[in-house]
């Protein structure tokens, strides 16, 4: 009976999505991603009025970034502070597909030639750990910018959503960001789980998700821990340059126009595009298959619009699925699976330890 009800709900949601048309899914609304249309407050052209659509290779809506090239810096990430990404769709009928897996990742690679080892997930909300009930204000996913993250004049923040029910789809948007307040060392690295994608040609397809049984969460737990560098660039934000209105001096025979150029280090919403050389240098830390029982206690706070993870439990059987933790030794990053057991999703490199505040290696 439960299976029949679940299937009926899935069909109902899918039909609703089909009836509401292509403009019915979700995208980043704040900070402004590449192509955000003016109807959602976007100011940088070209506007993409199909931005809510899932990825589709034949149409050119590809991974990463829906195939959209870099634009001006529209947000700044401050190392060591919390940052919130707002996701939403057309109200009152956004197609939330009963949730799914959400990841927020950072890359220093500005190219559109996707390399998985260039993207570190700084936030993960597995299916069942956040409430997909439609809300007009959208969903607020908050993460902590790692304190020792490499500074960058131009980096990319990406939201990736693997939907739970309906057509097997993948959604993503990219925001051009600068990163300040972190490390300016050329050897500084961002360490964390490698971004996982699915329901895309060449990658796994996750069937409609059945919470507690098989929703593909094991793929998230099996992500390798990688480290990426910012590459040879300065630690200051990209400078967006605008030209002031020319002033004209007229003589009896000649008109001279003088242009004054004003620069600012504060990111602006502008149509001027600053291009930074793509970054490289990635290393992959081997995964481990050992299971460690942590000593500290987990709590997971799930709200309609926000998902947070807290510390691990002293009793493995009492942990909440999706909760993150550091191992007692501080060398491993753990997550609670649907059997209420903490499992290792990656180990920190030599010289790094798991940060219990961000569950990344530092």
């Amino acid at each position: 009976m439960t299976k029949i009800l679940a299937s009926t709900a899935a069909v109902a949601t899918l039909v609703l999505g089909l009836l509401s048309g292509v403009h019915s899914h979700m995208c980043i609304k704040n900070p402004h991603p590449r192509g955000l249309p003016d109807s959602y407050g976007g100011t940088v052209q070209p506007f993409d009025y199909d931005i809510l659509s899932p990825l589709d290779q034949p149409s050119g809506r590809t991974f990463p970034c829906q195939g959209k090239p870099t634009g001006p810096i529209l947000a700044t990430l401050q190392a060591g502070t919390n940052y919130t990404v707002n996701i939403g769709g057309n109200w009152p009928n956004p197609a939330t597909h009963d949730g799914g897996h959400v990841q927020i990742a950072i890359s220093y690679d500005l190219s559109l030639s996707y390399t998985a080892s260039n993207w570190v997930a700084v936030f993960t909300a597995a299916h069942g750990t956040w409430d997909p009930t439609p809300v007009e204000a959208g969903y607020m996913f908050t993460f902590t910018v790692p304190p020792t993250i490499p500074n960058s004049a131009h980096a990319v923040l990406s939201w990736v959503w693997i939907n739970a029910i309906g057509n097997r789809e993948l959604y993503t948007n990219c925001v051009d960001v600068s990163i300040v307040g972190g490390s300016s060392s050329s050897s500084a690295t961002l360490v964390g789980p490698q971004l996982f994608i699915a329901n895309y040609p060449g990658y796994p397809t996750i069937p409609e998700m059945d919470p507690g049984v098989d929703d593909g969460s094991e793929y998230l737990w099996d992500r390798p821990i990688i480290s990426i560098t910012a590459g040879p660039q300065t630690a200051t934000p990209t400078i967006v340059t605008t030209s002031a209105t020319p002033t004209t001096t007229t003589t009896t025979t000649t008109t001279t126009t003088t242009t004054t150029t004003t620069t600012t280090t504060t990111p602006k919403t502008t149509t001027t595009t600053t291009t930074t050389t793509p970054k490289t240098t990635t290393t992959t830390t081997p995964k481990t298959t050992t299971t460690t029982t942590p000593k500290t206690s987990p709590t997971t706070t799930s709200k309609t619009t926000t998902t947070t993870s807290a510390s691990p439990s002293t009793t493995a059987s009492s942990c909440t699925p999706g909760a993150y933790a550091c191992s007692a030794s501080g060398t491993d990053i753990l997550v609670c699976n649907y059997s209420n057991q903490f499992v290792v999703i990656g180990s920190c490199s030599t010289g790094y330890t798991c940060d219990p505040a961000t569950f990344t290696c530092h």
Side-chain angles (χ1 to χ4, degrees):
M1 182 64 177
T2 301
K3 287 284 187 180
I4 294 174
L5 292 175
S7 299
T8 301
V11 170
T13 302
L14 176 58
V15 169
L16 176 62
L18 293 173
L19 290 177
S20 55
V22 70
H23 298 283
S24 61
H25 305 290
M26 296 194 293
C27 73
I28 300 179
K29 287 190 172 181
N30 191 53
H32 291 178
R34 299 175 187 175
L36 186 71
D38 50 358
S39 55
Y40 283 162
T43 58
V44 179
Q45 298 188 39
F47 300 136
D48 179 4
Y49 293 101
D50 288 332
I51 196 170
L52 301 179
S53 301
L55 298 187
D56 176 45
Q57 281 189 316
S59 71
R61 196 174 294 277
T62 56
F63 199 89
C65 305
Q66 295 190 348
K68 295 177 172 63
T70 57
I73 302 299
L74 296 182
T76 297
L77 304 183
Q78 177 72 42
T81 65
N82 291 338
Y83 195 84
T84 299
V85 176
N86 176 226
I87 308 297
N90 282 341
W91 187 258
N93 295 313
T96 65
H97 292 282
D98 198 34
H101 300 319
V102 170
Q103 299 167 90
I104 296 174
I106 291 175
S107 179
Y108 298 98
D109 183 359
L110 302 183
S111 74
L112 294 177
S113 299
Y114 174 62
T115 301
S117 57
N118 287 346
W119 292 82
V120 167
V122 293
F123 174 88
T124 302
H127 180 232
T129 64
W130 61 285
D131 185 355
T133 303
V135 286
E136 186 171 4
Y139 304 94
M140 308 294 181
F141 294 110
T142 300
F143 66 96
T144 300
V145 182
T148 58
I149 189 172
N151 291 328
S152 176
H154 198 155
V156 185
L157 176 74
S158 179
W159 163 75
V160 177
W161 172 37
I162 303 168
N163 67 336
I165 63 172
N167 293 334
R168 311 319 302 134
E169 295 169 335
L170 181 67
Y171 298 80
T172 188
N173 305 116
C174 288
V175 181
D176 293 287
V177 301
S178 62
I179 302 174
V180 299
S183 175
S184 299
S185 170
S186 60
S187 61
T189 59
L190 173 61
V191 181
Q194 178 177 290
L195 175 66
F196 168 71
I197 66 172
N199 303 343
Y200 189 73
Y203 295 88
T205 296
I206 298 177
E208 287 194 325
M209 298 178 184
D210 189 359
V213 179
D214 181 15
D215 61 5
S217 290
E218 68 273 10
Y219 288 110
L220 300 178
W221 304 330
D222 288 341
R223 292 174 300 180
I225 300 300
I226 64 173
S227 62
I228 59 177
T229 64
Q233 58 175 292
T234 62
T236 55
T238 297
I239 297 175
V240 180
T241 303
T242 58
S243 295
T245 304
T247 57
T248 304
T249 302
T250 304
T251 65
T252 54
T253 58
T254 305
T255 299
T256 301
T257 301
T258 302
T259 301
T260 302
T261 300
T262 303
T263 62
T264 175
T265 56
T266 302
K268 296 178 179 294
T269 300
T270 173
T271 55
T272 302
T273 301
T274 303
T275 302
T276 305
T277 305
K279 316 342 169 259
T280 53
T281 311
T282 63
T283 59
T284 302
T285 303
K287 298 179 286 184
T288 177
T289 58
T290 58
T291 301
T292 304
T293 303
K295 294 181 180 180
T296 51
S297 188
T299 50
T300 298
T301 303
S302 297
K303 298 182 180 178
T304 299
T305 59
T306 305
T307 300
T308 59
S309 298
S311 33
S313 171
T314 54
T315 305
S317 61
S318 66
C319 70
T320 304
Y324 285 86
C326 297
S327 65
S329 65
T331 59
D332 299 314
I333 300 174
L334 314 173
V335 71
C336 185
N337 64 19
Y338 279 105
S339 297
N340 300 105
Q341 298 288 329
F342 277 106
V343 294
V344 177
I345 60 171
S347 299
C348 298
S349 304
T350 302
Y352 291 90
T353 57
C354 177
D355 181 352
T358 63
F359 308 119
T360 57
C361 298
H362 296 293

